Amino acid sequence: MTILRLEAVTRTVALPDGSPLHILRGIDLGVAVGDHVSIVGRSGSGKSTLLNLLGLLDSPTSGEIFFEDRPLSALRSGARDRARGRDIGFIFQQFNLLAGRTALENVMTPLLYASGRKFWQRRKLALEMLDRVGLAERANSMPEQLSGGEQQRVAIARALVRGPRLILADEPTGALDIETGASVMQLLDSVAQQTGAALITITHDANVAALADRHYRLDRGVLAPVDVRRVIALAEPEVAL
Amino acid sequence: MSGFASGLVGAFSEAWAEVRIHKTRVLMSLIGVAVAVAALTSVVGLGSIAEQAMIETYERQSGRPATLIVNVWGTGEVPPDALAVSAAFDTVVDRYQIEYAGAFTHSSQTVQFVDGAMPVTTMGVEVGYGTLHRVVMTNGRWFVEADEQRLAPALVVNEAFYARMGWPELSGHPTVTLLGDTKTAAVVVGVIPEKWEGEEPVMHMLNSAYLRITPPSVVAWSPPMLEAWVPTELSDELTFRIKRDIAGALGEGVNVDVSRQDYQAWGGTMDPFGPFKLIVTGVSILVLLLGALGLVNISMVTVKQRIREIGIRRSFGATAGRVFFAVMMESVVASAVAGVVGVMIAVLVIQSDLVQSWITSGFPVDLPPFPVEAAIIGIGAATLVGALAGLLPAIVAVRVKVINAIRY
Ligand SMILES: Nc1ncnc2c1ncn2[C@@H]1O[C@H](COP(=O)(O)OP(=O)(O)O)[C@@H](O)[C@H]1O
Ligand SMILES: [Mg+2]
């Protein structure tokens, strides 16, 4: 079953001098339950712009995005926000934990926008999730007291705590050293698999990309499938691209 | 509905966490709000306490609303017959079922003190006068029905009179001698405070005793007046009827006047703290507005710093409405807390001995407790200011573009 489908999606922004910048040119992509997709591409190729569209944070200039087979253009902004909160979890390169809040409070944040059991039992659910990423005893630590790898694990717990059907990770290992990045990715991959959520990972790291089942490359606003071996070759020496 | 409850609780706990994290900054701006609320609440509270104290003082002097005074005097040489006047009074009191009514007389009696005799202003009253005028005693008691039967008249005297006697123990039934055609021993049963500083000696005795010790010829020259406590809404009607009935009963040659004497009849209470209240109210509203400006300023700064945070929250499902409400609630929660603190300060100030003695300015008044409406006004004003101060940052917060906020 498709969670998200992009049909001929383009995204164009106006530059300060008024000329249009075509960041994305005709993207077609379908993501189904349990999918693990990787997208590689140079810096500035439009990866984050694509991720914002996938995460319902932005609207396409043309084309259509279907969320659970409903066209997004038919959703009001409040409904879109609620759908995002319920079904999509974000993981950012810079972790984006809320400063001044403990790890536990950070993981509880998405549940503040839930209702029913998930809202009222948010502390318990967040603690369970922290335990799953191996940080139960760091629940009361502030983000700045945690290492980069630990912070990203907290971010993973936060992205998964509401049980989303789609996880979007924008260069999740970009701010981590290779070893830490690998272990964080292992964790993300396994937790996503356990919950049956689809995972889209944007990355530079070939080893990270290799964990996915389907591989894409974004080049000058065009998305094309690639062979996993070519992904590794592409990713190794970035300058060679 | 569960969505509504969780939304409300959720926004509230977000706001509370925000206030907690920025507590130093929030605290600074809230001091202004708390001080202003304290001032405002004190003024409102002080005003209503002072008004209550004034009312009690007025009621002591001229009776509770509505008190009617009936005055009877002769048109010619001959004074009206005191007994006929009394009978006419009794008739109207019965006819209109007036709850408290009593004749009273003003006269002067010569009293023999140890250090010499002097004329003393004497009020002849009924037992009910004590209730009608909210008489408070500093010593002893007011008249009771049994005092009507005493051979030696009972007296309730003021402090000045009591001082002239040398403050004897009332339990020893101290007496004074009233000089007239015959000497009469009278027993002091109670002492009331002076109405103002340096008041001359004054005494009260029951009308029955007054009539007994005073020759009819003297009584005739100062006929009794009637004081009647009637429902306020009936006072106009009864003023007319009592005048008509008594004039009818007494016939030719007699003038009857009925008028309201209580403070409400002569233009209500004049607040002696009026100008002071006006100034403090003005200043505290100013301080409150300044506090609100500080609050706006701080929440604007924090909102700008939190644009990224708001973006993150939006990416985890916070709707625009929710962000608006949560930011607004921060100001409301914070300033409501400041309001509660301000009200508590005001209560402490007003209940302090210094302020209490200043309000009463030496008058013997039981002060009413701290008025609830003053507390409500204080907390309400703080909350309103918080809501106003939260409006601008809330609008800014809603306009945050999520993709710009989280882009790096
Ligand atoms: N709102 C915008 N206005 C102008 N230029 C933009 C805007 N958004 C993105 N861009 C440009 O589009 C290109 C793609 O951006 P982005 O999607 O962030 O790339 P990536 O994440 O692959 O590095 C970049 O050159 C960026 O500067
Ligand atoms: Mg990017």
Side-chain angles (χ1 to χ4, degrees), chain A residues 52 57-58 78 81-82 84-85 88-90 92-94 96-101 105 109-110 112-116 119-120 122 158-159 162 170, chain B residues 2-3 5-7 9-11 13-14 17-18 20-22 308-320 322 401-403 406-408:
Chain A
N52 287 337
L57 291 171
D58 196 8
D81 291 332
R82 276 186 284 275
R84 182 191 314 122
I88 300 176
F90 285 90
F92 306 95
Q93 179 176 3
Q94 298 303 331
N96 275 344
L97 295 183
L98 301 179
R101 264 83 165 185
E105 286 170 321
T109 304
L112 277 175
Y113 311 115
S115 60
F119 175 81
W120 297 108
R122 57 193 183 281
R158 179 177 63 177
R162 242 184 113 173
D170 190 353
Chain B
S2 80
S6 53
V9 175
S13 53
E14 264 179 84
E18 204 55 49
R20 201 165 41 93
I21 286 162
H22 302 288
R308 186 182 194 83
E309 179 182 323
I310 290 165
I312 295 166
R313 289 183 179 279
R314 295 292 304 269
S315 70
F316 283 104
T319 60
R322 175 61 175 273
K401 291 282 288 173
V402 184
I403 49 172
I406 57 172
R407 122 178 272 122
Y408 30 83

Side-chain angles (χ1 to χ4, degrees), chain B residues 57-352:
Chain B
T57 309
Y58 287 136
E59 286 181 349
R60 207 152 290 144
Q61 278 160 18
S62 50
R64 299 193 197 190
T67 299
L68 302 183
I69 303 276
V70 185
N71 226 330
V72 178
W73 72 99
T75 44
E77 296 292 297
V78 203
D81 175 10
L83 287 177
V85 171
S86 281
F89 284 174
D90 290 346
T91 314
V92 292
V93 168
D94 279 351
R95 185 174 299 154
Y96 300 114
Q97 294 172 340
I98 295 169
E99 195 178 349
Y100 281 108
F104 70 94
T105 52
H106 278 287
S107 62
S108 181
Q109 305 279 338
T110 309
V111 178
Q112 177 71 59
F113 290 107
V114 261
D115 54 349
M118 70 174 285
V120 172
T121 304
T122 307
M123 295 272 290
V125 296
E126 301 291 332
V127 175
Y129 181 96
T131 311
L132 192 56
H133 289 263
R134 290 185 186 275
V135 172
V136 281
M137 312 298 299
T138 53
N139 213 340
R141 58 166 177 82
W142 183 250
F143 299 112
V144 293
E145 289 297 335
D147 291 327
E148 306 273 7
Q149 264 70 56
R150 278 173 180 273
L151 283 178
L155 297 180
V156 171
V157 302
N158 71 347
E159 281 284 353
F161 191 112
Y162 194 43
R164 283 297 293 270
M165 293 174 70
W167 302 284
E169 280 295 330
L170 293 185
S171 54
H173 309 292
T175 56
V176 288
T177 308
L178 309 180
L179 306 175
D181 290 355
T182 56
K183 286 185 182 178
T184 313
V187 183
V188 175
V189 296
V191 182
I192 58 171
E194 292 178 11
K195 288 203 177 86
W196 55 86
E197 295 242 331
E199 191 189 27
E200 291 290 305
V202 171
M203 64 183 182
H204 295 72
M205 68 172 69
L206 289 174
N207 280 321
S208 53
Y210 165 72
L211 292 173
R212 221 174 330 113
I213 65 169
T214 315
S217 57
V218 177
V219 172
W221 283 111
S222 56
M225 295 191 274
L226 182 76
E227 204 176 31
W229 188 28
V230 301
T232 311
E233 64 277 10
L234 294 181
S235 67
D236 284 344
E237 165 124 26
L238 285 177
T239 301
F240 167 76
R241 287 184 180 225
I242 291 172
K243 179 176 170 142
R244 183 195 62 194
D245 291 2
I246 292 180
L250 296 178
E252 290 290 303
V254 173
N255 269 338
V256 179
D257 180 55
V258 180
S259 62
R260 256 185 90 169
Q261 294 286 306
D262 59 272
Y263 69 92
Q264 280 185 4
W266 40 269
T269 51
M270 243 193 23
D271 187 351
F273 303 102
F276 168 78
K277 265 167 70 181
L278 219 62
I279 292 168
V280 179
T281 306
V283 169
S284 47
I285 286 174
L286 213 70
V287 176
L288 201 59
L289 289 179
L290 285 177
L293 272 181
L295 214 59
V296 173
N297 190 27
I298 282 181
S299 25
M300 287 305 278
V301 170
T302 45
V303 159
K304 293 233 169 80
Q305 288 176 343
R306 277 160 50 203
I307 282 182
R308 186 182 194 83
E309 179 182 323
I310 290 165
I312 295 166
R313 289 183 179 279
R314 295 292 304 269
S315 70
F316 283 104
T319 60
R322 175 61 175 273
V323 167
F324 183 92
F325 190 59
V327 171
M328 182 105 169
M329 282 297 278
E330 283 168 33
S331 289
V332 173
V333 167
S335 57
V337 169
V340 170
V341 171
V343 167
M344 279 172 0
I345 294 172
V347 172
L348 288 180
V349 166
I350 289 202
Q351 306 278 313
S352 74

Side-chain angles (χ1 to χ4, degrees), chain A residues 95-111 126 130 139 141-143 146 154-155 157-159 161, chain B residues 312-313 316:
Chain A
F95 321 136
N96 275 344
L97 295 183
L98 301 179
R101 264 83 165 185
T102 63
L104 178 63
E105 286 170 321
N106 266 283
V107 177
M108 280 160 68
T109 304
L111 299 175
L130 270 177
S141 302
M142 292 292 173
L146 298 171
V154 173
R158 179 177 63 177
V161 73
Chain B
I312 295 166
R313 289 183 179 279
F316 283 104

Side-chain angles (χ1 to χ4, degrees), chain B residues 372-395:
Chain B
V372 179
E373 72 269 17
I376 291 171
I377 286 175
I379 295 172
T383 310
L384 189 73
V385 157
L388 287 176
L391 207 58
L392 208 60
I395 290 169

Side-chain angles (χ1 to χ4, degrees), chain A residues 159-180:
Chain A
L160 285 157
V161 73
R162 242 184 113 173
R165 304 168 55 162
L166 174 63
I167 300 159
L168 300 175
D170 190 353
E171 309 200 27
T173 60
L176 304 173
D177 61 69
I178 294 173
E179 260 171 60
T180 314

